[in-house]
Amino acid sequence: MFAGLNDGGEDGFLASLEPLLGGGAMLVLAVALVLSAASTMDSVYSSTAKLVVVDMGLVRRSATWGRLAMVATALGGLVLVLVGTDDLFAAVAVSGTASLFLAPVIVFSILLGRDVARWSLLVTFGLAMAGSVVYFLEDSGYVAWIGALTGVEHSYSKLLVVTVFILAGGMAAFALGVRRRERAGGRS
């Protein structure tokens, strides 16, 4: 906020910080951003491979299929760069939105210890992927669906709408997909 107030609203965020922080601090910030991006990419690739190969079981369990999932993820990210965004903050928002399918997993499977039907995870994953695509399209200016449906116009307000939709849909899918556990001597 301080940087935005001091630049008169004309420069971008990083350009606003440079006169305030100086060259040395900007170099440290740039290194931190690069390391953060590399760490995020590593996490995305390994998580995608585990999700597709191990958790969802969409392909045979092998290192080759895991690597192919990683390559497909990298190509998908490249497509996003080629069609209109090179904004780091938008990239973080899109990847964070895509990872929202994990929230119901954490709540139902880890915290509550429930077994949930496979379709629940697939529905939630689909909602998260669709939500991240819609947010990307909105943020890049290709569509204006969220504003037309809800009246919100700010980028982060649109992100909030998408997040609430994904979380509500994912939690509902998991609630409907909870399996009953069998007890010795009968069903529970």
Side-chain angles (χ1 to χ4, degrees):
M1 287 176 38
F2 182 72
L5 290 173
N6 286 303
D7 80 340
E10 296 175 12
D11 294 328
F13 175 68
L14 294 176
S16 301
L17 285 178
E18 188 167 6
L20 296 170
L21 299 177
M26 288 304 292
L27 178 62
V28 171
L29 179 62
V31 169
L33 287 173
V34 168
L35 290 175
S36 175
S39 172
T40 299
M41 288 172 54
D42 175 60
S43 176
V44 166
Y45 294 146
S46 61
S47 295
T48 300
K50 183 179 181 297
L51 175 71
V52 169
V53 177
V54 177
D55 298 334
M56 292 177 131
L58 298 178
V59 292
R60 187 175 44 84
R61 220 175 174 161
S62 73
T64 300
W65 281 109
R67 290 180 186 125
L68 288 172
M70 290 180 186
V71 168
T73 302
L75 292 174
L78 180 61
V79 167
L80 290 178
V81 170
L82 294 176
V83 296
T85 187
D86 58 359
D87 179 12
L88 177 63
F89 302 107
V92 170
V94 169
S95 65
T97 303
S99 69
L100 285 174
F101 76 93
L102 293 172
V105 173
I106 293 167
V107 171
F108 282 86
S109 300
I110 296 173
L111 296 177
L112 298 177
R114 304 292 179 151
D115 290 329
V116 181
R118 183 176 178 190
W119 68 263
S120 299
L121 180 61
L122 293 172
V123 166
T124 305
F125 180 75
L127 283 173
M129 292 303 111
S132 63
V133 168
V134 167
Y135 179 74
F136 169 77
L137 293 173
E138 283 275 346
D139 192 58
S140 298
Y142 292 116
V143 298
W145 299 332
I146 297 172
L149 291 172
T150 64
V152 299
E153 293 301 327
H154 190 274
S155 181
Y156 290 134
S157 296
K158 292 178 181 182
L159 181 59
L160 178 62
V161 168
V162 171
T163 299
V164 168
F165 180 78
I166 293 168
L167 288 176
M171 293 295 183
F174 267 63
L176 293 171
V178 170
R179 295 181 182 165
R180 293 179 181 246
R181 293 189 179 167
E182 296 212 17
R183 286 192 209 163
R187 294 184 67 80
S188 61

